[in-house]
Amino acid sequence: MNAVDDKTVVKDYFNATGFDRWRRIYGTEQVNKVQLDIRKGHQQTVDTVMDWLKADGNLRGLSVCDAGCGVGSLSIPLAQEGAMVYGSDISEKMVAEAYDRAKVFLGPNNNISFSAQDLESIAGKYHTVICLDVLIHYPQEDAARMISHLCSMAESRLILSFAPKTLALSVLKKIGELFPGPSKTTRAYQHRETDVVRILQDNGFSIQRQGMTSTRFYYSRLLEATRG
């Protein structure tokens, strides 16, 4: 499947059945045990990123691009801390939901702007670019191009997460225990950390902080890379 096809599948999924499923996972309403486990894992990843950024003590007024913002799980807490946030997602429905949630949590006049576009169409320069739980939808060759584009927008720092490619997780994936439901419809790609690090280094970035979230059904490797 080529890049255009992968993007089409992802966009169509998150504008249809996937939207309702993941809106509930990223929300507060009752979900099944697998979805609850994924909700907790995703929140742990968001919390780790927020802890890193708050520890630096310079979030207020910082320009941040949340690439693949979903329903605003990261964009909203970033804005609550005073960051100037640009959130983008390939799904129009996800962006609309993020916009509505931002109005609830921050009021109608807030410091987030949202748009619906694929990752490689995002333009501009930002102090920090963040991309969580997006690369899992794309194979290595597409992920490499996407990471390079994210690097081109990041003036200082890039934070991204991916499903690490290990033997154990590959086995779990094959027997259907890593990702929920027979109707998930999107492919789940794992990436070797050495490949991700190499792409970052080729774009002039070096690893500063690392994290790993592991629950029963959610596995996410988190890397912070800085320019220079």
Side-chain angles (χ1 to χ4, degrees):
M1 182 174 287
N2 61 38
V4 174
D5 289 336
D6 276 308
K7 288 181 182 179
T8 299
V9 168
V10 172
K11 182 177 181 178
D12 290 348
Y13 173 67
F14 283 104
N15 276 324
T17 58
F19 167 70
D20 184 62
R21 180 175 294 115
W22 289 95
R23 178 188 60 79
R24 287 186 286 107
I25 289 175
Y26 294 150
T28 58
E29 60 191 274
Q30 186 173 356
V31 292
N32 64 42
K33 291 182 179 180
V34 173
Q35 293 171 331
L36 180 60
D37 181 86
I38 294 170
R39 175 189 291 173
K40 291 178 178 178
H42 175 74
Q43 188 60 50
Q44 287 178 30
T45 297
V46 170
D47 290 344
T48 297
V49 172
M50 290 302 301
D51 287 344
W52 286 355
L53 299 183
K54 286 192 287 187
D56 293 341
N58 64 343
L59 254 181
R60 182 161 297 278
L62 201 71
S63 63
V64 181
C65 175
D66 184 8
C69 65
V71 298
S73 302
L74 177 65
S75 290
I76 292 169
L78 282 171
Q80 288 174 324
E81 292 295 326
M84 306 303 296
V85 183
Y86 173 75
S88 178
D89 198 275
I90 197 170
S91 163
E92 293 89 349
K93 282 194 172 182
M94 285 288 189
V95 168
E97 178 71 14
Y99 179 79
D100 288 342
R101 293 189 183 193
K103 287 194 296 183
V104 170
F105 287 99
L106 298 165
N109 300 314
N110 55 65
N111 45 323
I112 310 180
S113 60
F114 291 108
S115 72
Q117 56 185 326
D118 74 75
L119 186 150
E120 292 177 279
S121 297
I122 303 173
K125 295 289 185 179
Y126 309 87
H127 177 278
T128 297
V129 175
I130 305 173
C131 183
L132 302 184
D133 295 347
V134 172
L135 299 180
I136 193 171
H137 299 297
Y138 300 98
Q140 180 61 29
E141 59 270 23
D142 300 332
R145 189 175 60 250
M146 291 176 176
I147 294 171
S148 294
H149 181 66
L150 293 170
C151 287
S152 73
M153 296 189 297
E155 294 177 330
S156 179
R157 171 172 53 194
L158 172 62
I159 299 175
L160 54 82
S161 72
F162 56 95
K165 188 173 182 61
T166 66
L167 178 59
L169 295 186
S170 296
V171 171
L172 283 175
K173 178 177 179 293
K174 286 182 178 180
I175 63 177
E177 294 181 1
L178 182 56
F179 301 99
S183 60
K184 60 182 175 62
T185 74
T186 60
R187 297 184 178 187
Y189 296 97
Q190 297 165 280
H191 301 285
R192 293 183 180 87
E193 182 169 344
T194 53
D195 292 337
V196 175
V197 171
R198 176 182 51 78
I199 297 164
L200 291 168
Q201 291 174 340
D202 288 346
N203 283 277
F205 285 75
S206 57
I207 304 300
Q208 298 300 320
R209 288 180 281 206
Q210 308 173 43
M212 179 72 196
T213 302
S214 300
T215 67
R216 186 177 179 186
F217 297 100
Y218 177 96
Y219 298 85
S220 183
R221 182 65 167 157
L222 189 64
L223 298 178
E224 177 197 53
T226 56
R227 185 178 291 279

